[in-house]
Amino acid sequence: MMLEVQDIHTYYGESHALQGVSLRLDEGETVCLLGRNGAGKSTTLRSIIGLTPPGRGRVVFAGRNIAGMPAYRIARMGVSLVPEDRRILPGLTVRENLEVGQYRRPGLQPRWSIERIFDEYPMLAELAGQDGATLSGGQQQMLAVARSLMSEPQLLLLDEPNEGLAPVIVKQIGELIDALAGTTTILFTDQSVRFALRHAKRAYILEKGRIVHEADCGSLARDAQTQRRYLSV
Ligand code: ATP
């Protein structure tokens, strides 16, 4: 088991955003967290990585309870989040943005380097010297994911990686997720089911801070009623 989230409750002040969320990811699995706007998807990812630490419950990553640890320590243990707004550093080139992401975990053979990123994603190689702020939304999304890979994550959290992107880029993000499957455990969020069905094995559906449905993507594809009830279709 790579990740086991056990009954977490997360608060924003008085507001009880996550009301007992539990989920599990096996090593190398790609899982999608679905739900409408405000359901708690981002908060779940932020709770896992410690940006909004859960007030209750456990987050067991690679056998250790990381709930309550500071986010930078969780990141160093091998969890990486690509936030919805991507956080590309303006004033730094594409290459420099990748350098900033680099983190080598002691005792772990590095898998990623700038050369490998440029090899696998030639689009980024072409943009290497360009200011990250001048990139299109899709190019920024590719860069944000690549920068995350530079930190050698075992668990990659992607918050709505497709939001607002052109179909050609969505396809590339999907291919990237597929290529990582098996070697990197991935939890990504989405509001609708189409992309998840193509690229994830299982899905959890969140509503109002609770998991209301869990299914393998094949059966969710055939379950129009659940899709209508909980998702944007
Ligand atoms: P979205 O698609 O909008 O990102 P989401 O499913 O990711 O939706 P969250 O962003 O996790 O949902 O929000 C869950 C709940 O927590 C919502 O009711 C939201 O209004 C609330 N919330 C999120 N961020 C904050 C914050 N910084 N302060 C107060 N409440 C917040």
Side-chain angles (χ1 to χ4, degrees):
M1 187 70 46
M2 176 59 64
L3 178 76
E4 188 163 8
V5 173
Q6 300 170 343
D7 195 29
I8 57 169
H9 292 251
T10 300
Y11 300 82
Y12 293 102
E14 299 280 287
S15 155
H16 194 173
L18 298 188
Q19 310 189 6
V21 168
S22 298
L23 50 89
R24 306 155 64 103
L25 273 83
D26 278 327
E27 189 165 350
E29 214 184 3
T30 303
V31 171
C32 185
L33 188 58
L34 296 167
R36 291 202 178 95
N37 224 325
K41 302 180 297 296
S42 303
T43 306
T44 301
L45 300 188
R46 293 169 54 82
S47 297
I48 293 169
I49 202 164
L51 290 170
T52 51
R56 260 166 61 198
R58 284 158 52 91
V59 178
V60 180
F61 168 66
R64 281 178 75 185
N65 182 17
I66 58 172
M69 276 189 192
Y72 79 90
R73 276 193 59 204
I74 297 175
R76 283 190 184 170
M77 288 172 69
V79 182
S80 186
L81 167 69
V82 179
E84 221 170 333
D85 62 5
R86 305 173 193 127
R87 298 286 163 94
I88 298 305
L89 299 167
L92 297 190
T93 64
V94 166
R95 176 186 286 277
E96 287 164 345
N97 267 280
L98 291 170
E99 283 167 359
V100 168
Q102 183 161 32
Y103 176 72
R104 295 262 151 100
R105 283 211 310 292
L108 195 90
Q109 188 66 26
R111 290 197 293 153
W112 293 96
S113 61
I114 293 196
E115 292 68 38
R116 179 170 172 206
I117 296 281
F118 285 169
D119 235 36
E120 301 211 5
Y121 312 113
M123 176 225 271
L124 294 178
E126 282 166 31
L127 298 166
Q130 208 166 305
D131 185 327
T134 66
L135 270 48
S136 71
Q139 292 166 336
Q140 288 200 0
Q141 184 64 41
M142 289 297 286
L143 176 57
V145 176
R147 185 180 56 188
S148 265
L149 294 175
M150 290 293 289
S151 71
E152 307 284 348
Q154 280 177 282
L155 173 63
L156 186 58
L157 308 172
L158 306 174
D159 200 358
E160 296 201 30
N162 302 318
E163 216 204 347
L165 300 186
V168 55
I169 291 278
V170 171
K171 186 163 171 279
Q172 287 183 37
I173 301 278
E175 287 167 0
L176 190 155
I177 289 175
D178 292 348
L180 294 171
T183 56
T184 306
T185 311
I186 300 176
L187 179 61
F188 70 87
T189 69
D190 210 330
Q191 297 205 15
S192 76
V193 83
R194 206 175 325 134
F195 182 84
L197 297 183
R198 238 176 248 146
H199 303 289
K201 196 175 104 187
R202 286 190 300 121
Y204 292 92
I205 301 180
L206 265 175
E207 191 182 60
K208 296 187 182 137
R210 292 196 173 92
I211 301 281
V212 289
H213 194 81
E214 178 190 350
D216 69 79
C217 286
S219 54
L220 189 56
R222 295 183 296 271
D223 187 351
Q225 195 183 349
T226 298
Q227 290 188 39
R228 260 199 313 275
R229 183 158 174 203
Y230 299 119
L231 302 174
S232 313
V233 282

